[in-house]
């Protein structure tokens, strides 16, 4: 690989030629990739040109070398962080996004309680998928923005930080992601892989565990797509010297019993207190074991740190270090509406996408960039697939500050659950983890 171009000078390429190369199913050269990513970051390549190229990439793909070069160019668009001065080994986790996916909240303090520091740069909600920062901001006083120095000091002292990525990290991705979001080009495997891995490699973590979601509530709807995405990202991380593994995990029904902001924080605290829904506990422990192993700690059982309260202690210190009050009551929405079972039987289907869109429309997510979210909005489930329910029993409760939002949320739930009179309850629900790659 040659190094990306340095400094200013006459433009080396012509955007329409780069677009036509990919449109005509050709490989992009290293020089074309370096130039187009850099020139887009500098506003030399126009958004309409980049969106045409993103669509050509979505339709015609990129090979592994092109993806690696594209990732490299996105990393080179900004700063790189360095945690090598810390006295702890580091490991991070990244999820490709799902409904009710609050795992980062119990996971970061749990892994820190086992002796591995977690520098978790997180994002806000995107479409129907919730954002870790939006969830944590429902805790009174909690602050998502830390300077690099404050982040490093907290990592050294507490061992866990969850905060917003600074604007200097992979700025090309920030611009390109916002463009993809509004041009129907989010679901391209090369673009998702390079987007995630550019941020994670630039962040400088020593080890990385990827949670690649598959199912209706995920960007990847099919297992073969999820496997290709996972393999691509593991290869990118490994080539960059980051110990990287991926778990492919189920996202056809929501994780746990909550989707929203404060309701997900409350459920995470239950997990840290030794309780919580079985699927959330299973995935938290599976990811913790992978992170500890990837960071070289093979002899520690994270289940003990969850059971004996050490993870809870780190959570409380982590929240307090960022101005939050771990004892403050969480905000509650002003209005609620209970959705009941239309008949008695087994709940055989509860669609992650339907629940995610309902939570979004209730005010847990944004309909326009920069909008504020409602801390108390969301969905609390009273039954999961496989559960027996009685006719008229509560299936879920919808929460919002604005009752006018209930109708649109209910539309999202139309066809999103099925109660079958003759079906039998599953005795043991299937594991959330489908496959391990790496
Ligand atoms: N998350 C990211 O950071 N980027 C993507 O492209 C998709 C999910």
């Amino acid at each position: 690989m040659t190094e990306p171009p340095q400094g200013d000078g006459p433009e080396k390429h012509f955007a329409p030629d780069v677009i036509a190369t990919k449109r005509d199913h050709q490989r992009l050269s290293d020089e074309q990739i370096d130039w187009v990513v850099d020139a887009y970051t500098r506003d030399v390549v126009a958004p309409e040109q980049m969106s045409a190229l993103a669509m050509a990439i979505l339709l015609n793909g990129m090979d592994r070398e092109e993806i690696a070069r594209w990732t490299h160019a996105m990393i080179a668009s900004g700063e790189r962080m360095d945690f090598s001065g810390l006295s702890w080994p580091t490991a991070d986790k990244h999820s490709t996004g799902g409904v009710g996916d609050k795992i980062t909240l119990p996971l970061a303090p749990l892994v820190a309680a086992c002796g591995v520091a977690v520098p978790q740069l997180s994002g806000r909600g995107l479409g129907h998928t919730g954002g870790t920062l939006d969830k944590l901001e429902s805790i009174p006083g909690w602050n998502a923005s830390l300077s690099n120095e404050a982040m490093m000091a907290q990592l050294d002292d507490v061992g866990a930080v969850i905060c917003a990525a600074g604007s200097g990290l992979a700025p090309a991705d920030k611009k390109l992601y916002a463009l993809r979001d509004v041009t129907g080009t989010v679901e391209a495997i090369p673009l998702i892989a390079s987007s995630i891995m550019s941020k994670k490699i630039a962040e400088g973590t020593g080890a990385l565990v990827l949670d690649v979601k598959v199912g209706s509530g995920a960007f990847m709807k099919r297992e073969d797509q999820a496997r290709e995405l996972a393999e691509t990202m593991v290869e990118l991380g490994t080539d960059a010297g980051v110990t990287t593994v991926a778990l492919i995990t189920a996202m056809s029904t929501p994780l746990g019993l909550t989707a929203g902001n404060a309701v997900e924080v409350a459920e995470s605290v239950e997990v840290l207190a030794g309780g919580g829904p079985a699927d959330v506990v299973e995935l938290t422990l599976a990811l913790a074991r992978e992170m500890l192993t990837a960071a070289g700690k093979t002899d520690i059982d994270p289940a003990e740190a969850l059971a004996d309260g050490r993870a809870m202690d780190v959570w409380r210190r982590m929240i307090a270090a960022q101005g939050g009050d771990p004892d403050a009551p969480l905000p509650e929405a002003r209005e609620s509406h209970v959705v009941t079972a239309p008949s008695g039987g087994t709940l055989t289907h509860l669609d992650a996408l339907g629940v995610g869109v309902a939570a979004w429309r209730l005010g847990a997510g944004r309909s326009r960039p920069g909008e504020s979210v409602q801390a108390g909005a969301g969905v609390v489930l009273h039954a999961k697939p496989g559960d027996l329910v009685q006719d008229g029993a509560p299936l879920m409760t919808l929460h919002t500050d604005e009752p006018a939002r209930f109708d649109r949320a209910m539309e999202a739930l139309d066809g999103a659950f099925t109660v079958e009179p003759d079906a039998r309850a599953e005795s043991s629900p299937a594991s959330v983890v489908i496959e391990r790659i790496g």
Side-chain angles (χ1 to χ4, degrees):
M1 241 194 243
T2 51
E3 283 303 305
Q6 306 288 316
D8 293 327
E11 295 303 327
K12 296 193 171 77
H13 294 271
F14 184 53
D17 288 346
V18 179
I19 299 165
T21 304
K22 194 40 77 183
R23 179 200 64 197
D24 296 341
H25 300 263
Q26 309 291 315
R27 289 190 74 255
L28 296 176
S29 68
D30 286 356
E31 293 72 23
Q32 282 177 314
I33 290 174
D34 292 342
W35 177 78
V36 81
V37 170
D38 175 59
Y40 176 60
T41 314
R42 290 185 286 118
D43 295 326
V44 168
V45 167
E48 55 270 33
Q49 294 175 312
M50 193 48 135
S51 42
L53 180 59
M55 184 58 81
I57 292 169
L58 182 137
L59 295 174
N60 298 334
M62 293 207 280
D63 67 24
R64 292 282 167 96
E65 281 178 22
E66 287 175 288
I67 300 172
R69 190 68 191 195
W70 189 280
T71 306
H72 185 265
M74 301 237 283
I75 296 168
S77 72
E79 66 184 20
R80 290 186 78 151
M81 297 183 73
D82 180 10
F83 298 120
S84 57
L86 283 180
S87 50
W88 312 51
T90 53
D92 194 3
K93 179 280 312 197
H94 187 89
S95 156
T96 55
V99 177
D101 184 3
K102 70 275 302 168
I103 302 295
T104 295
L105 276 55
L107 180 66
L110 173 59
V111 171
C114 297
V116 172
V118 184
Q120 180 81 50
L121 299 178
S122 293
R124 299 192 180 276
L126 178 75
H128 70 277
T129 65
T132 300
L133 302 181
D134 293 330
K135 294 171 199 182
L136 285 169
E137 279 176 349
S138 65
I139 301 174
W142 188 83
N143 171 29
S145 304
L146 295 186
S147 66
N148 288 356
E149 294 71 35
M151 182 181 178
M152 203 64 95
Q154 185 174 327
L155 266 183
D156 223 359
D157 182 32
V158 181
V161 175
I162 304 175
C163 65
S167 56
L169 206 77
D173 177 63
K174 282 204 179 61
K175 261 187 101 173
L176 181 55
Y177 196 85
L179 186 76
R180 289 167 54 214
D181 198 20
V182 292
T183 55
T185 51
V186 169
E187 284 87 354
I189 288 177
L191 296 178
I192 297 178
S194 54
S195 164
I196 292 173
M197 295 308 293
S198 62
K199 285 175 286 202
K200 292 293 150 183
I201 296 168
E203 169 196 293
T205 184
L208 177 64
V209 177
L210 298 159
D211 180 2
V212 180
K213 304 278 184 209
V214 62
S216 73
F219 290 124
M220 300 291 107
K221 309 292 181 204
R222 298 195 323 258
E223 276 184 36
D224 60 325
Q225 297 169 322
R227 193 171 302 113
E228 186 185 338
L229 177 60
E231 284 170 359
T232 306
M233 292 196 290
V234 168
E235 198 172 295
L236 286 171
T238 308
D239 287 352
V242 181
T243 308
T244 310
V245 296
L247 297 183
I248 297 179
T249 69
M251 187 30 73
S252 47
T253 203
L255 256 178
L257 294 169
T258 55
N261 296 311
V263 288
E264 291 198 39
V265 173
E267 191 171 78
S268 304
V269 172
E270 277 174 36
V271 171
L272 287 159
D279 55 351
V280 179
V281 176
E282 180 205 331
L283 188 52
T284 303
L285 288 175
L287 290 165
R289 289 193 180 102
E290 293 291 350
M291 288 168 78
L292 294 172
T293 305
K297 302 247 179 196
T298 48
D299 54 342
I300 295 178
D301 181 7
E304 284 173 19
L306 206 51
D308 66 14
R310 275 179 292 150
M312 179 67 103
D313 290 344
V314 178
W315 160 264
R316 295 175 60 79
R317 292 177 62 217
M318 176 182 88
I319 296 301
Q322 289 172 245
D325 178 356
D327 296 315
L330 289 165
E332 286 180 18
R334 284 194 289 273
E335 308 286 340
S336 61
H337 173 80
V338 179
V339 179
T340 55
S343 59
T346 303
L347 180 66
T348 51
H349 158 73
L350 178 59
D351 183 52
L353 183 61
V355 174
V357 172
W360 184 18
R361 290 182 181 176
L362 288 165
R366 298 174 179 77
S367 54
R368 268 168 298 150
E371 206 172 49
S372 58
V373 298
Q374 292 182 24
V379 179
V380 176
L381 304 174
H382 307 300
K384 293 271 281 191
D387 287 353
L388 285 172
V389 294
Q390 299 202 326
D391 187 9
L395 281 185
M396 62 186 92
T397 305
L398 315 186
H399 297 272
T400 181
D401 291 335
E402 299 166 273
R405 291 177 176 264
F406 284 131
D407 283 351
R408 294 266 293 136
M410 287 301 291
E411 277 169 29
L413 292 169
D414 195 22
F417 56 87
T418 314
V419 178
E420 291 188 65
D422 298 331
R424 299 183 65 83
E426 288 168 24
S427 49
S428 57
S431 169
V432 186
V433 179
I434 296 169
E435 194 175 329
R436 179 183 188 280
I437 293 182

